[in-house]
Amino acid sequence: MTAPNCPFHGLDSLWIQVAGLSCNLRCAHCFNASGPGNREMPALSRDDVRTLLDEAEAAGVRDVVFTGGEPFLHPEMAEIVGDTLGRFPATILTNGTLLTDRIVERLANAARDSRYSLEIRVSLDASSEEENDRIRGKGSYGKALAGVARLEKASFLPIVTAVQFGEEDAPAALEEFERLLSAREIRKPRVKFLPAFRVGREEERSGGYGEGDRITAEMLELLGPEQLLCSTARVATSRGIWVCPILVNEQGGRMGDTLEESFRPFPLSYGACATCFRHGAVCANAATAVREE
Amino acid sequence: MDEVSGRVALFGGVYNNHLALAALLDDAPSRASEIFCLGDVGAFGPHPDHSVEILRKAAISIVQGNYDRSVGMRRGDCACGYTDPRDNHFAALSYAYTFRKTSERNKDFLATLPDEIRLRGPRGERILLCHGSPRRQNEFLWESLSPDPFLARLLDDARCDVLAVTHTGIPWKRRLPDGRLVINVGAIGRPANDGQTHVWYAILDLSGEEPDASFIPLRYDHERLASEMRAEKIAEPFVQTIETGWWTTCLEVLPSKERACGRY
Ligand code: SF4
Ligand code: SF4
């Protein structure tokens, strides 16, 4: 069976693996196996990012997403965010544990000076400390929530993102998170659930994908490829341009040295692609999770 | 392709607000020679057939919105593009109401509306009217998520010099460095999440050196609308938005800049 191609519709989102795969945490489910001492992908310099922004501008990009690893391990992250917000809306995916008053203040200044939105997503995997820290490491819960509180104080509207592992009761989980955040005086709590990708460290935990976990041409037709991240996004790393943030450890996910080279269709031959098909790769909440008033 | 000149009134997002629609048809003719609707006739307001009948009677040209398409095609949901469970919950309530209360004849009418309307300005400007974006009926074009190069790409791909959209409910305009113009005309169905009870529409002015746009605040009897909504047993958060000018639903799609301006 040959994998169907995902067409490329143009660069809406440029993801930037700004701090490489280096992270201060070592979460059990990390899909790109980031962690302390992971040097597989060195960080990008501020100049590298500027060059990328130029290329992205020429492609008519809509927004920039910073991911990792942990972006705030980058010594010049605040400056890089400032450079970006001068030109485009931006989103930062962070574990929230390194958000000091100083860095939050600098982000707030950059956001205030820009006509574009800065979204900050803080990952937390459970509304209880015990469960969260079992997945994300001891102490991560308290530090992440302190980061969320600092963002709130600086008038950001942080989005808390949680990976959903099984068929948990989504509405109940959502309510739990909202209760937790409201209790911490987060005025406009925003929570998003993400699917677990069985790659990276999660592969060791859950055994990865089977032969049957693949997208077929019929499935792709049903979904419409525009629902997949890889139809409108690319990821820039210090090792070149990759098709999507989920496949940065797969040699086959590498699309070339420059953005321009990466603007072509991609064969959806990975198990992770089946997760995208089922759940949406970006951050859609379970559509079934309807909450009664 | 129709030629237009002078001033053109553009509005969208009626959301069954037949009182604002009637107010618009009173107000706009004194300001503009032609009037166009950018779609989404139905939603959470009362008596959907009233709005469709007013538009039909006035013979207003209408671009099809995602809502109009869903109702017209007898689909199961509004295809608003929400990803949040709470937003989807309220969207489902208002869609079910509009669907149930729109006559078969009016559903057929909504199904026939065009995806886009193309006009030509006095200097040959290519003007495109659509609902969400030129590439997707339900794409949200927010001011804080629409950098110039991205808008330029949309305009290039759609081959137009002036683009007018609605769908998000908050008006804004942008002149691109090359002079092309993008307008989000806002919505006349609900206030713009600014604590004011009036709604907005836009005037595209083609009489000057280059096309420009301005936004017109539109007052209507919002208290009467609120009482009609209550009489129809429409969910209370929708009524509160009409009464207070603050959005209570469909909030998760708001980018942080726009959301920070609202109360919820
Ligand atoms: S999931 Fe995020 S915070 Fe956790 S190890 Fe991976 S990159 Fe770091
Ligand atoms: S993992 Fe998802 S985003 Fe990446 S190539 Fe496969 S379908 Fe596309």
Side-chain angles (χ1 to χ4, degrees):
Chain A
M1 192 182 69
T2 53
N5 269 334
C6 182
F8 183 70
H9 291 314
L11 188 70
D12 284 3
S13 298
L14 171 64
W15 290 58
I16 302 181
Q17 198 97 32
V18 63
L21 296 177
S22 176
C23 190
N24 58 326
L25 301 184
R26 192 192 293 278
C27 304
H29 58 53
C30 186
F31 64 71
N32 60 27
S34 293
N38 185 333
R39 307 255 177 278
E40 264 174 53
M41 261 178 200
L44 289 158
S45 72
R46 185 177 175 188
D47 271 342
D48 293 339
V49 174
R50 281 208 200 101
T51 307
L52 282 165
L53 297 181
D54 291 340
E55 281 185 58
E57 171 160 0
V61 80
R62 187 192 57 207
D63 64 342
V64 173
V65 183
F66 292 102
T67 184
E70 170 49 48
F72 289 107
L73 281 177
H74 196 295
E76 289 188 293
M77 191 55 195
E79 289 79 4
I80 289 174
V81 172
D83 293 344
T84 308
L85 282 182
R87 306 168 67 172
F88 313 110
T91 299
I92 308 174
L93 312 185
T94 171
N95 63 37
T97 61
L98 303 174
L99 291 168
T100 58
D101 282 330
R102 195 179 130 72
I103 188 96
V104 169
E105 190 195 322
R106 295 171 72 189
L107 294 176
N109 290 339
R112 199 171 314 118
D113 293 344
S114 174
R115 69 179 176 191
Y116 303 122
S117 273
L118 172 61
E119 306 284 356
I120 303 185
R121 293 193 183 180
V122 179
S123 20
L124 206 65
D125 283 326
S127 47
S128 84
E129 177 164 11
E130 193 197 349
E131 209 182 319
N132 180 80
D133 286 6
R134 192 168 47 77
I135 305 165
R136 304 187 67 84
K138 208 165 161 35
S140 62
Y141 182 85
K143 283 187 201 150
L145 279 174
V148 170
R150 284 196 184 98
L151 291 171
E152 168 77 16
K153 228 172 80 201
S155 295
F156 281 108
L157 302 173
I159 302 173
V160 167
T161 60
V163 169
Q164 278 206 313
F165 297 99
E167 299 300 311
E168 289 118 299
D169 181 359
L174 187 68
E175 251 177 58
E176 279 296 309
F177 273 107
E178 286 183 350
R179 236 197 310 275
L180 166 76
L181 295 171
S182 304
R184 305 224 168 197
E185 287 170 13
I186 307 298
R187 287 160 301 155
K188 302 175 184 179
R190 301 202 286 173
V191 181
K192 296 229 178 266
F193 292 121
L194 308 172
F197 286 93
R198 284 181 262 146
V199 293
R201 262 198 299 282
E202 181 64 18
E203 178 170 359
E204 296 160 26
R205 264 174 29 125
S206 53
Y209 291 98
E211 280 301 309
D213 297 317
R214 294 291 183 273
I215 298 188
T216 64
E218 295 74 42
M219 286 157 79
L220 188 64
E221 202 174 309
L222 199 76
L223 179 74
E226 60 283 354
Q227 305 295 325
L228 297 172
L229 195 61
C230 45
S231 70
T232 53
R234 288 293 180 259
V235 188
T237 77
S238 54
R239 291 267 159 87
I241 309 296
W242 301 69
V243 64
C244 76
I246 300 126
L247 298 180
V248 289
N249 288 327
E250 295 285 352
Q251 199 45 46
R254 194 175 186 283
M255 303 290 285
D257 294 325
T258 64
L259 272 177
E260 187 79 52
E261 281 171 34
S262 77
F263 297 163
R264 54 191 164 85
F266 182 77
L268 302 171
S269 58
Y270 294 86
C273 303
T275 298
C276 288
F277 173 77
R278 271 194 294 275
H279 302 280
V282 193
C283 65
N285 274 325
T288 47
V290 171
R291 198 182 67 178
E292 295 300 324
E293 266 306 276
Chain B
M1 193 184 313
D2 285 343
E3 304 217 344
V4 283
S5 58
R7 289 152 176 266
V8 181
L10 305 172
F11 71 97
V14 181
Y15 311 150
N16 299 338
N17 189 340
H18 61 98
L19 297 174
L21 179 58
L24 177 121
L25 293 180
D26 266 352
D27 188 70
S30 65
R31 303 179 194 267
S33 52
E34 286 191 69
I35 306 177
F36 293 90
C37 173
L38 304 193
D40 273 6
V41 182
F44 48 77
H47 311 301
D49 276 338
H50 287 6
S51 297
V52 187
E53 295 297 343
I54 292 172
L55 287 167
R56 291 183 72 152
K57 198 160 145 243
I60 301 287
S61 302
I62 312 172
V63 174
Q64 186 181 59
N66 53 292
Y67 225 93
D68 310 318
R69 182 180 182 85
S70 287
V71 172
M73 308 291 276
R74 278 84 169 165
R75 292 224 171 109
D77 73 78
C78 60
C80 282
Y82 300 139
T83 57
D84 179 74
R86 186 171 186 275
D87 286 353
N88 277 323
H89 167 68
F90 281 104
L93 288 181
S94 62
Y95 186 72
Y97 173 82
T98 295
F99 192 78
R100 192 160 31 96
K101 297 257 180 162
T102 303
S103 70
E104 293 306 306
R105 167 173 180 256
N106 284 338
K107 281 179 186 149
D108 290 342
F109 169 75
L110 294 171
T112 62
L113 298 176
D115 269 347
E116 56 175 46
I117 294 176
R118 285 183 184 263
L119 305 168
R120 188 152 311 264
R123 292 182 178 76
E125 301 94 338
R126 299 163 304 172
I127 303 164
L128 173 59
L129 314 182
C130 57
H131 182 72
S133 82
R135 60 187 190 174
R136 245 180 32 232
Q137 212 171 37
N138 69 349
E139 178 165 16
F140 296 98
L141 292 187
W142 302 102
E143 185 171 21
S144 83
L145 282 189
S146 300
D148 293 350
F150 170 66
L151 293 174
R153 165 158 66 105
L154 289 184
L155 270 64
D156 287 346
D157 290 350
R159 298 170 196 282
C160 64
D161 309 303
V162 177
L163 170 68
V165 301
T166 171
H167 190 54
T168 68
I170 299 183
W172 57 274
K173 69 167 175 175
R174 179 89 52 79
R175 183 171 303 285
L176 300 180
D178 61 15
R180 290 183 293 176
L181 185 67
V182 179
I183 316 157
N184 188 316
V185 304
I188 62 161
R190 71 168 176 175
N193 200 21
D194 54 5
Q196 305 285 321
T197 53
H198 61 252
V199 293
W200 296 91
Y201 72 101
I203 297 288
L204 172 62
D205 187 352
L206 300 162
S207 63
E209 285 281 288
E210 51 181 4
D212 201 358
S214 55
F215 297 104
I216 310 292
L218 181 69
R219 293 187 190 286
Y220 69 97
D221 191 346
H222 68 279
E223 284 166 5
R224 181 171 151 205
L225 188 80
S227 57
E228 283 187 21
M229 288 168 81
R230 289 210 171 90
E232 284 291 286
K233 300 199 168 43
I234 287 165
E236 192 60 19
F238 291 128
V239 187
Q240 279 161 16
T241 297
I242 295 299
E243 285 178 332
T244 64
W246 298 114
W247 291 6
T248 51
T249 62
C250 314
L251 289 160
E252 290 304 315
V253 289
L254 279 167
S256 61
K257 254 196 202 292
E258 282 83 352
R259 186 157 181 193
C261 299
R263 176 181 290 172
Y264 300 107

